[in-house]
């Protein structure tokens, strides 16, 4: 197993500075920098936050940079070093980092006790795997290496246990782990399967070029493995990945965009919660943009934020009462009513379900 590569960088309010440079150097664009590091084959990013965590303005800007890094990159990301409160840990993890770094050492016994208490409280709130600590930079690097080893893919089925087609290949259906959208279909041979396990990035066998290839090796649109399942016959793989950029060579997010058969709208009834919530939310947003006479939604928008918040508070109380009454039907109704008013608030404040889902995922 080859040594994992960790890129160390400084996190500033306006971008990132490579670790080999002077920390006071002008920051570089975060997205282009991390894309380049991913293409160079790095496995993790270790970000030392140079901003004051108690300065809401500059630290808030740094956290937005960190969020953009996490969105643009599927590598393991650890950030922090100047963490002194669990609130600092929360901000780092909610920005999307895999781990928050708490630096120990070079402190009085009183400081050491406080830092240890911070580590213990953070572990209890966010989980052992989300907190890294060390007395100096090298100790933190070692902690990142240990975290990478703990997260190394474990394949319970050897390639020999899979059923191959006539060319010795196994088809792999690839979907985005965040929303389940099918992205592409490709094929794996034994080498591609092994490289995927070793690196955590999807590798395939090109039937046209007759060679191994890694998704993103030219485009930078890597696929980071989250989970792989085999079907009941062990002859097809279903791969859940963190897709960076577009999956299709055309620039489309998914290779499946050519409609060849579509049922009439009246015959389709969405039952997936995400689809229903998205549809209702679209109607609410449309009501705000295009008011309709007699619409209760428009009544709430017209009355303003205070009215929306008042209704949301009332509905939350109704949920509590329904739960105490032990009526499943009543509770179901009240929760759906609450969700509707919550989406009105989201529209009023220009929030989207995607933003909420990203925040939940980071928890």
């Amino acid at each position: 197993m080859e040594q994992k590569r960790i890129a160390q960088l400084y996190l500033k309010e306006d971008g990132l500075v490579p670790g080999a440079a002077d920390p006071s150097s002008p920051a570089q664009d975060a997205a282009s920098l991390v894309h380049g590091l991913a293409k160079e084959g790095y496995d993790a990013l270790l970000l030392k936050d140079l901003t004051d965590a108690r300065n809401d303005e500059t630290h808030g800007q740094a956290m937005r940079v960190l969020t953009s890094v996490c969105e643009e990159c599927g590598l393991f990301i650890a950030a922090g070093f100047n963490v002194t409160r669990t609130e600092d840990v929360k901000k780092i993890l909610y920005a999307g980092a895999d781990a928050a770094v708490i630096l120990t050492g070079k402190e009085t016994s009183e400081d050491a006790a406080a830092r240890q208490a911070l580590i213990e409280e953070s572990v209890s709130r966010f989980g052992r795997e989300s907190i890294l600590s060390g007395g100096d930079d090298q100790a933190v690097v070692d902690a990142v290496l240990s975290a990478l080893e703990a997260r190394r893919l474990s394949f319970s089925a050897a390639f020999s246990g899979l059923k191959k087609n006539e060319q010795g290949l196994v088809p792999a259906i690839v979907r985005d782990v965040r929303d389940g959208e099918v992205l592409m279909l490709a094929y794996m041979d034994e080498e591609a399967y092994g490289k995927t396990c070793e690196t955590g990035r999807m590798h395939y066998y090109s039937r046209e070029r007759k060679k191994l290839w890694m998704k993103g090796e030219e485009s930078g649109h890597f696929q980071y493995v989250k989970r792989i399942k085999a079907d009941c016959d062990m002859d097809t793989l279903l791969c859940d990945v963190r897709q960076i950029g577009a999956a299709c060579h055309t620039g489309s997010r998914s290779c499946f965009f050519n409609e060849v058969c579509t049922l009439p709208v009246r015959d389709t009834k969405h039952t997936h919660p995400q689809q229903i919530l998205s549809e209702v939310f679209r109607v609410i947003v449309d009501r705000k943009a295009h008011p309709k006479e007699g619409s209760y939604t428009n009544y709430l928008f017209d009355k303003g934020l205070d009215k929306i918040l008042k209704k949301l508070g009332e509905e939350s109380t109704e949920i509590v009462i329904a739960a105490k009454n032990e009526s499943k039907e009543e509770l179901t109704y009240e929760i759906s009513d609450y969700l509707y008013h919550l989406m009105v608030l989201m529209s009023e404040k220009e929030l989207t379900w995607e933003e909420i889902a990203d925040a939940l995922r980071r928890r």
Side-chain angles (χ1 to χ4, degrees):
M1 186 70 63
E2 62 183 49
Q3 177 70 39
K4 296 294 185 181
R5 299 178 66 194
I6 301 173
Q8 300 186 57
L9 306 109
Y10 297 106
L11 174 63
K12 303 174 79 171
E13 64 269 23
D14 55 349
L16 300 175
V17 175
D22 187 323
S24 62
S25 301
Q28 298 181 26
D29 177 69
S32 58
L33 186 55
V34 298
H35 280 161
L37 292 169
K39 291 192 74 170
E40 289 177 34
Y42 280 90
D43 301 286
L45 304 180
L46 179 56
L47 277 57
K48 181 177 287 188
D49 184 4
L50 297 183
T51 62
D52 181 358
R54 297 179 186 274
N55 185 317
D56 290 338
E57 183 177 353
T58 58
H59 192 250
Q61 292 172 340
M63 289 301 100
R64 284 190 284 275
V65 173
L66 177 58
T67 298
S68 70
V69 169
C70 297
E71 291 174 347
E72 294 286 344
C73 179
L75 301 177
F76 181 90
I77 297 175
F81 285 85
N82 64 352
V83 172
T84 59
R85 305 168 300 170
T86 55
E87 181 67 20
D88 304 333
V89 174
K90 183 175 74 172
K91 288 179 180 179
I92 290 170
L93 297 179
Y94 284 12
D98 296 283
V101 177
I102 301 176
L103 191 64
T104 60
K106 297 182 180 180
E107 51 196 6
T108 66
S109 57
E110 183 178 343
D111 290 337
R115 197 58 56 93
Q116 185 58 39
L118 171 62
I119 292 173
E120 292 175 0
E121 182 181 356
S122 298
V123 167
S124 67
R125 285 187 60 181
F126 305 106
R128 173 70 61 184
E129 70 283 354
S130 298
I131 308 299
L132 301 180
S133 62
D136 54 30
D137 289 5
Q138 184 56 52
V140 173
V141 170
D142 292 341
V144 173
L145 288 171
S146 296
L148 287 173
E149 179 61 25
R151 292 162 62 96
R152 188 165 63 87
L153 288 173
S154 176
F155 280 32
S156 57
F159 191 77
S160 58
L162 301 174
K163 295 179 183 178
K164 277 72 73 175
N165 63 16
E166 307 79 48
Q167 291 80 42
L169 305 175
V170 176
I173 301 168
V174 186
R175 64 182 182 181
D176 195 308
V177 70
R178 291 169 292 184
D179 60 12
E181 181 177 6
V182 176
L183 301 174
M184 57 183 282
L185 170 67
Y187 290 83
M188 284 185 171
D189 63 359
E190 187 168 9
E191 184 180 12
Y193 188 81
K195 279 290 186 181
T196 297
C197 177
E198 178 184 336
T199 65
R201 304 188 196 192
M202 291 300 295
H203 286 68
Y204 306 103
Y205 177 80
S206 171
R207 295 176 298 167
E208 180 181 348
R209 294 176 290 167
K210 301 189 184 310
K211 59 177 289 189
L212 174 78
W213 66 286
M214 177 177 67
K215 178 63 180 174
E217 59 190 4
E218 296 181 0
S219 65
H221 295 168
F222 300 105
Q223 292 174 343
Y224 295 91
V225 187
K226 297 303 179 183
R227 179 175 53 247
I228 296 181
K229 296 180 182 180
D231 71 343
C232 55
D233 295 321
M234 297 293 285
D235 63 2
T236 304
L237 298 174
L238 178 62
C239 309
D240 289 328
V241 304
R242 168 76 161 88
Q243 175 70 54
I244 302 301
C248 183
H249 72 282
T250 65
S252 174
R253 179 168 183 261
S254 169
C255 293
F256 295 92
F257 55 80
N258 292 306
E259 287 194 7
V260 296
C261 177
T262 305
L263 287 173
V265 174
R266 65 177 180 272
D267 290 336
T268 61
K269 182 180 180 182
H270 294 316
T271 57
H272 193 288
Q274 179 180 333
Q275 291 175 309
I276 294 171
L277 289 172
S278 296
E279 286 180 3
V280 174
F281 188 62
R282 278 196 294 270
V283 172
I284 292 172
V285 171
D286 184 70
R287 286 287 188 273
K288 186 179 182 183
H290 308 97
K292 184 177 180 181
E293 187 176 352
S295 166
Y296 175 67
T297 302
N298 285 128
Y299 163 77
L300 291 174
F301 285 134
D302 291 342
K303 289 296 183 181
L305 181 61
D306 286 347
K307 180 65 174 179
I308 295 171
L309 294 176
K310 182 173 182 293
K311 287 298 299 181
L312 199 59
E314 291 173 356
E315 297 303 334
S316 64
T317 302
E318 294 295 333
I319 289 177
V320 174
I321 295 172
K324 294 291 287 183
N325 290 341
E326 298 186 359
S327 169
K328 185 176 181 179
E329 289 183 0
E330 183 184 356
L331 182 59
T332 301
Y333 175 82
E334 297 300 347
I335 289 176
S336 63
D337 217 16
Y338 178 86
L339 286 172
Y340 159 76
H341 287 90
L342 177 63
M343 286 187 280
V344 172
L345 174 63
M346 288 167 57
S347 178
E348 176 71 12
K349 303 302 288 185
E350 298 183 349
L351 281 172
T352 67
W353 275 121
E354 287 74 18
E355 291 172 296
I356 301 299
D358 280 344
L360 286 171
R361 177 170 53 82
R362 293 177 192 131
R363 296 192 179 199

